[in-house]
Amino acid sequence: MNGAITTIKAGIGFGTALAITISWSVNKSILWAIVHGFLSWIYVIYYALFKG
């Protein structure tokens, strides 16, 4: 069970970092980067489907 929790935390952390990176490269705005960081994987999937 502990390994699964560690994996989930790593996935959430990676998703947040990826969302912030994509947001910054597209918008060049710290505010949007923070917002998209909170949305994490939702923003990454949205970007991949509709903007990528």
Side-chain angles (χ1 to χ4, degrees):
M1 186 67 146
N2 193 17
I5 293 172
T6 303
T7 303
I8 292 169
K9 286 182 182 179
I12 291 171
F14 179 72
T16 301
L18 187 59
I20 289 171
T21 303
I22 292 170
S23 179
W24 178 258
S25 69
V26 172
N27 302 310
K28 302 289 192 260
S29 168
I30 292 174
L31 179 62
W32 279 117
I34 292 170
V35 170
H36 293 146
F38 281 121
L39 295 174
S40 187
W41 282 109
I42 295 169
Y43 178 68
V44 172
I45 293 168
Y46 166 79
Y47 185 83
L49 291 175
F50 299 108
K51 300 218 178 188

